[in-house]
Amino acid sequence: MEKELIIDASEKGVELALLEGGKLVELHHQKTNNNLSVGDILIGKIRKMMPGLNAAFVDIGHRKDAFLHYTDLGPKLRSLIKWSNGVINGSINTHRLDNFKYEEEIIKTGKIDQVLNKRFPILVQVLKEPISTKGPRLSCELTLPGRYMVLSPFSDTVSVSKKISSSEERKRLHTLAESIKPKNFGIIVRTAAEGKKVQELHEEVVTLIGQWEEIFRQLKTVAPPAKLLSELDKPASVLRDMLSDGFSRIVVNDKDMYADIKSYLQTISPDQVNIVQHHNSSKPVFDTFGVTKQIKAAFGRTATLNSGAYLVIEKTEAMHVIDVNSGHKIASNDVDQTILAVNLEAAEEIARQIRLRDIGGLIVIDFIDMRNQDHRKQLSKAMEDFMRKDRSQHTILPLSKFGLMQITRERARPEVVVDTAEQCSTCGGTGKANATILLTDEVNRDLEFVMQSRPKGKVFLRTHPFLEAYLKKGFPSLQMRWFMRYNKWIRVVPHADYPLNQYRFFEGNDDEIRLNN
């Protein structure tokens, strides 16, 4: 499927829209002042031990202390602490781990106060960004992600992405990874490495080792809490993780970012440099490519499907609930097939909405009831297929006997929320408008002012179609009475975008006449 990445850069930050087949499927936003992202590696200080939670709160320089649970420490915690403390106190003088001796692994069922204490700083990586009232969540299992592979210090394992289906290709990549793997580093080969040569993979290993060396240099000089290595900015990280042959166009409206993206693509995928385009029109880039309209349509309490069916999406503290409504679609001789068709259409849109809004945690979907067991299985299988494009880890349970489907999805970042409501131009947000019975009096009064100030010029009135019809109705109509009074035909032009009680006067050359009342 053809993919496009539209990037809108402004002073407030960068917004990225991913389109698949022309349809908006992901929306990412990075604020200019955002100083914490998933993947950042920091040196922190343990602020408080919580044996009851089997966790610790760590100061990493954020306004809220970060949460570090025992299960996120990783078996090589003692080796990580030994290395980081050695670098800080000067007993370790190289970033390489060739001669580093591992410490004993920690057990899975241990207690946090048995392996950590407040005396030493701790090297951590952001696992989840701050969400709602919760602070960041941390991990001590460090990873350095690249386009083709992920490098893991204090590990010796090599694994290949399960999404690479060919057993021969998996075996080839495993052999290549073993041959280029630095000692005491593990490698996870990503899907994008399929078909790549050893030279490309080795070049990325060198780059990732360079990042580890940067952590080593920073660790020797900074005082905790401090950031040692930042995740790539949002455009680069999206391209690193998602760029494929299916991308047909990358459009960016900022000249400097355009140059940066071309330079980055030259490094990771030289063949695709030409798909980058600079948008230099005065029209906003999201408007040009129809992104704004799709955002307005997709974000809201309800989402309407092409068939006329619609979804109602509600958020609670514990979960998201999605209700599927048929609208007027259940009007067929074969009701079962119609219900299946509506549910399948809804499942595809739900998968898009989950990905687009980046909904995490527990999601409960109330599909239209189906008694046919084959149809229920078909819907469950279709939902799995639709969710396969989602990069976040998720689990889908079959339909329950009540027709409910439960999905759990990894939550690493705050949910994307876009307020699509606009302030009412009629009431100005107050909820109250002038009495409509007085509207024609206002039009007559303003027309009187216009005719006094422009007795000879051409004048026409632009208003909502309902008001236009009212001004022209009857015999004699208000429009005819104006002609008899002013000896001039006042044209009334309908405009569907106007609110019901809005009207404006224009001169013959289409210049608006500003009223001073």
Side-chain angles (χ1 to χ4, degrees), residues 22-33:
K23 184 173 280 190
L24 180 66
V25 294
E26 289 189 23
L27 192 66
H28 301 271
H29 186 73
Q30 182 181 42
K31 294 181 180 179
T32 305
N33 59 355

Side-chain angles (χ1 to χ4, degrees), residues 38-57:
V38 171
D40 287 351
I41 295 178
L42 311 99
I43 184 72
K45 296 187 296 185
I46 297 175
R47 178 82 71 182
K48 184 186 296 184
M49 303 291 289
M50 302 292 290
L53 298 174
N54 205 14
F57 285 99

